[in-house]
C-alpha cells in the first residue's frame, strides 16, 4: 500500500503543469527585485509593474527563440546591456508576451529576422508612445542581439521619450500549439498511401545513423586541440503527422589543420571561434569565457545556418571538454550531432597543441546522469521515507509510563469488560 502511495505521488509530481517562465531583462528602469527567487513573477503582476511606465516610455521588445538564466552569465555576450543603467532583471516571468499584448498594440516588422538594423527598419521605428515595437530574433547569437539593442538606442537617442528595452524569449507553449495546428492542417494534404510508403522508403537502412564505425579524428592548433569521431547532419522531413530524418555523414578533412580565430588577438582568454573543414564547407564553433569557465555558445554551418544547444555547455578553465554526443538543432527541426567530441583549449604559453606529446587536461564531461524527473522522484521519495521513519520511530519509542500518581489525586478507575 505504501509503495502504491509513493508511485501515485511521484507520478503527480512528474506530470504537474509547468508554465512558460523565461527570464526578462529590462534596460531603462529599476522596478526593484522580485518578491521571491523561487516563485516566478505572475503575468498580471508583471503587467502592473510596467503600467506606470506606459505613459512616458517607448517600449522596445526583443524576442529570442530560447533564453535561460545561464545565458546572462556570459559577460562578453552583453557588453551594452551590462553598462546600461538603470536595469531590472527577473529570472522567471510567467508569459511576459501575454502581459505586454494586454497593454497595447504591438508592431512587428515585416522581416522575420531583425538581427541587423537596416535603413528600412529604422524608418519603421518612429518616436511614438503607446506602441510596443517588437523585434523577432530567429537565432541564438547573443552578441548580435546586444549589438542590435545598442544600435536601436543610438537611433532613438534623438527622441525626447524615455526608452524601455525588454529582452526575453518566445512563449514556447504557444509555439508548440502553432506547430500542432500546422501539422493538423498539413495532414489533410497527405499524398496517397502508396506514394507515402514510397517517400518513406527512400531512406535506405544501410545509410541510417550508427551502422558504420569511425575512427577519432584529431585536429590540432597552437591554441586548441579538437577530436571528433563523426559529424552527422539530420534534416527533418515532415509529411503531416509523420516525419523522418534524412541523415548525412559530414566527413572531416583531417589533412587540413584546425583554423582558429581569436576575438581579441592579444589574449586567447577573451574567446575564440574554431573552424573545422568538412565536405560541405566549414563548421564553426564559438567559445566564450563565462565567470572563469568556458561556454560553447553556438554551432554554425557554412556561416548561414546556426544550430543552438538546449543548454549552453560549460567546462572549467583547468579542464578539457568531452561529450559523448553534442547535439544542436535549428527551429525547423534539423539537427547537427558531434559524436565523441573532445575540445582542449591551450591557455598556457609554454605549451602548444601542435606538439604530438601534448597531454590534454582532465576531462569535463557533458553527460547528465540525474535528470529533472529523476530528481523529483528522489525528492518525493526522500520526504515519504522520512515521514515513514519518523512514524516508526515514534511508535517504537512508546513504553510504560514512568510518572507516579500524586497522593492527593483520586485513584485511576479503569473499566474492564469481562
Amino acid at each position: 500500500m505504501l509503495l502504491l502511495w509513493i508511485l501515485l505521488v511521484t507520478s503527480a509530481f512528474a506530470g504537474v503543469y509547468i508554465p512558460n517562465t523565461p527570464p526578462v531583462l529590462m534596460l531603462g528602469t529599476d522596478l526593484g527585485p522580485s518578491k521571491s527567487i523561487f516563485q516566478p513573477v505572475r503575468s498580471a503582476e508583471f503587467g502592473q509593474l510596467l503600467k506606470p511606465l506606459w505613459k512616458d516610455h517607448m517600449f522596445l521588445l526583443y524576442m529570442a527563440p530560447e533564453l535561460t538564466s545561464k545565458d546572462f552569465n556570459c559577460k562578453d555576450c552583453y557588453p551594452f546591456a551590462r553598462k546600461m543603467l538603470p536595469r531590472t532583471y527577473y529570472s522567471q516571468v510567467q508569459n511576459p508576451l501575454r502581459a505586454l499584448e494586454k497593454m497595447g498594440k504591438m508592431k512587428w516588422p515585416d522581416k522575420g529576422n531583425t538581427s541587423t538594423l537596416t535603413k528600412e527598419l529604422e524608418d519603421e521605428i518612429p518616436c511614438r508612445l503607446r506602441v510596443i515595437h517588437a523585434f523577432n530574433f530567429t537565432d541564438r547569437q547573443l552578441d548580435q542581439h546586444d549589438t542590435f539593442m545598442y544600435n536601436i538606442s543610438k537611433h532613438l537617442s534623438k527622441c525626447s521619450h524615455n526608452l524601455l528595452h525588454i529582452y526575453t524569449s518566445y512563449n514556447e507553449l504557444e509555439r508548440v500549439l502553432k506547430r500542432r495546428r500546422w501539422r493538423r492542417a498539413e495532414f489533410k494534404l497527405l499524398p496517397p498511401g502508396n506514394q507515402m510508403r514510397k517517400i518513406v522508403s527512400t531512406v535506405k537502412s544501410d545509410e541510417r545513423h550508427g551502422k558504420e564505425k569511425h575512427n577519432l579524428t584529431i585536429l590540432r592548433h597552437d591554441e586548441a586541440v579538437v577530436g571528433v569521431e563523426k559529424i552527422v547532419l539530420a534534416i527533418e522531413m515532415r509529411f503531416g503527422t509523420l516525419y523522418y530524418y534524412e541523415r548525412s555523414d559530414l566527413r572531416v578533412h583531417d589533412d587540413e589543420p584546425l583554423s582558429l580565430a581569436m576575438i581579441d588577438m592579444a589574449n586567447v582568454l577573451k574567446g575564440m571561434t574554431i573552424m573545422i573543414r568538412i565536405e560541405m564547407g566549414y563548421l564553426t564553433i564559438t567559445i566564450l569565457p563565462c565567470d572563469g569557465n568556458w561556454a560553447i555558445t553556438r554551432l554554425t554551418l557554412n556561416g548561414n545556418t546556426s544550430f543552438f544547444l538546449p543548454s549552453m555547455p560549460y567546462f572549467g578553465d583547468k579542464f578539457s571538454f568531452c561529450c559523448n554526443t553534442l547535439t544542436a538543432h535549428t527551429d525547423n527541426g534539423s539537427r547537427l550531432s558531434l559524436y565523441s567530441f573532445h575540445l582542449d583549449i591551450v591557455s598556457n604559453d609554454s605549451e602548444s597543441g601542435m606538439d604530438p606529446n601534448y597531454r590534454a587536461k582532465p576531462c569535463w564531461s557533458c553527460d547528465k546522469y540525474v535528470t529533472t524527473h529523476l530528481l523529483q522522484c528522489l525528492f518525493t521519495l526522500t520526504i515519504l521515507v522520512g515521514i515513514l521513519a519518523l512514524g516508526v520511530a515514534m511508535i517504537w519509542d512508546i513504553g510504560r509510563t514512568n510518572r507516579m500518581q500524586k497522593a492527593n489525586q483520586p485513584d485511576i478507575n479503569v473499566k474492564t469488560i469481562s
Side-chain angles (χ1 to χ4, degrees), residues 85-112:
L85 294 173
R87 61 174 178 263
T88 306
Y89 173 73
Y90 294 146
S91 59
Q92 299 181 79
V93 178
Q94 287 186 358
N95 300 323
L97 183 59
R98 183 181 304 174
L100 292 169
E101 287 176 345
K102 293 181 179 179
M103 294 187 61
K105 180 181 178 182
M106 299 188 66
K107 183 178 179 182
W108 297 83
D110 296 334
K111 295 184 179 180

Side-chain angles (χ1 to χ4, degrees), residues 175-185:
R175 298 179 70 201
V176 170
L177 293 177
K178 289 181 180 179
R179 285 195 292 265
R180 290 179 180 176
R181 295 192 194 104
W182 177 79
R183 290 187 178 184
R184 290 173 184 172

Side-chain angles (χ1 to χ4, degrees), residues 38 95 98 108 187 210 250 262 285 289 319 321 328:
F38 302 103
N95 300 323
R98 183 181 304 174
W108 297 83
F187 183 74
L250 307 182
M262 292 185 294
I285 305 174
F319 295 84
F321 179 75

Side-chain angles (χ1 to χ4, degrees), residues 110-157:
D110 296 334
K111 295 184 179 180
N113 187 1
T114 56
S115 59
T116 56
L117 185 62
T118 60
K119 183 62 178 178
E120 294 78 6
L121 187 58
E122 290 181 354
D123 298 335
E124 298 182 16
I125 315 173
C127 297
R128 290 178 56 189
L129 294 176
R130 301 185 182 278
V131 175
I132 302 176
H133 299 280
F135 306 97
N136 178 19
F137 294 144
T138 58
D139 52 32
R140 274 180 50 85
Q141 300 182 11
L142 308 180
D143 50 350
Q144 293 188 11
H145 299 177
D146 184 83
T147 304
F148 183 79
M149 287 188 282
Y150 168 74
N151 293 332
I152 288 289
S153 299
K154 187 178 180 181
H155 168 64
L156 297 177
S157 59

